[in-house]
Amino acid sequence: MRVTHVAKGRPAHVILLFLGLALIAAGLLQLRAARGDVTLTQASVDGTPLTGYRAGAVDACPRPVVIISHGFAGSQQLMHSFALTLARRGYLAVTFDYYGHGRHPEALRGDITKVEGATQMLVRQTRGVVDYALALPDASGELALLGHSMASDIVVRYATMDPRVDATVAVSMFSTAVTAE
């Protein structure tokens, strides 16, 4: 005996599929609209993928630079909202992916809990991003670093080594470099 199943409700499935696709498209358009007049520029520095965020035209006026770095197991996409907010306020914001994170093709090597391990590697990588950002045509020379979690340790350590750093912001801070003194 052969049993044949008749698909019931197929038009309803098709309608729901198209409704779902329309809602996804509407959501993507809203995300794009939220970006407003902020321009994103993709670049790479020694293999490190980075994104520059600025409102208005390049060379419109000199703007302070904010380097925004993510925490462990994060990526520059997670720092997108920080970058958009700062760019809308007149800053040149730059996000990037640390080794072994996001779209960075190179693995993170060494022990992240030891300063002489991965930490030094990430501090050197941050220097490359800072040098790149400060050389952009609309960079004013003023520099702030924003680091989340693991990156708070990296930006604090970096800031103590580079006199160009004017401000440091640590979000969900962890750093053995910060003491009561």
Side-chain angles (χ1 to χ4, degrees):
M1 175 197 271
R2 185 170 184 199
V3 177
T4 307
H5 293 283
V6 177
K8 293 183 181 178
R10 228 199 247 274
H13 285 125
V14 172
I15 291 170
L16 286 175
L17 173 68
F18 283 113
L19 179 61
L21 290 173
L23 290 172
I24 290 171
L28 291 173
L29 287 173
Q30 284 185 332
L31 285 174
R32 175 68 176 110
R35 200 168 91 187
D37 69 338
V38 175
T39 302
L40 278 59
T41 306
Q42 304 289 321
S44 177
V45 174
D46 297 325
T48 297
L50 55 86
T51 305
Y53 295 73
R54 62 175 53 82
V58 176
D59 292 331
C61 62
R63 35 187 121 211
V65 173
V66 181
I67 306 297
I68 304 168
S69 46
H70 61 80
F72 189 77
S75 69
Q76 64 175 312
Q77 284 77 20
L78 293 174
M79 307 309 283
H80 181 76
S81 60
F82 283 103
L84 278 177
T85 300
L86 290 165
R88 285 188 196 115
R89 303 301 186 274
Y91 294 90
L92 172 56
V94 178
T95 61
F96 65 101
D97 287 325
Y98 277 121
Y99 297 114
H101 292 82
R103 293 188 312 252
H104 201 294
E106 191 174 329
L108 176 62
R109 296 183 309 275
D111 186 344
I112 192 67
T113 64
K114 295 187 174 136
V115 174
E116 53 286 332
T119 299
Q120 286 182 344
M121 187 172 151
L122 298 175
V123 168
R124 282 191 302 274
Q125 182 183 16
T126 302
R127 177 175 295 281
V129 174
V130 166
D131 291 343
Y132 166 84
L134 288 176
L136 291 170
D138 51 345
S140 70
E142 296 170 285
L143 174 64
L145 305 176
L146 185 154
H148 173 253
S149 190
M150 169 197 77
S152 67
D153 181 49
I154 305 305
V155 299
V156 164
R157 291 178 189 281
Y158 182 82
T160 63
M161 299 169 24
D162 189 341
R164 300 176 295 177
V165 178
D166 298 302
T168 305
V169 177
V171 179
S172 300
M173 175 142 179
F174 168 77
S175 179
T176 58
V178 176
T179 65
E181 293 80 41

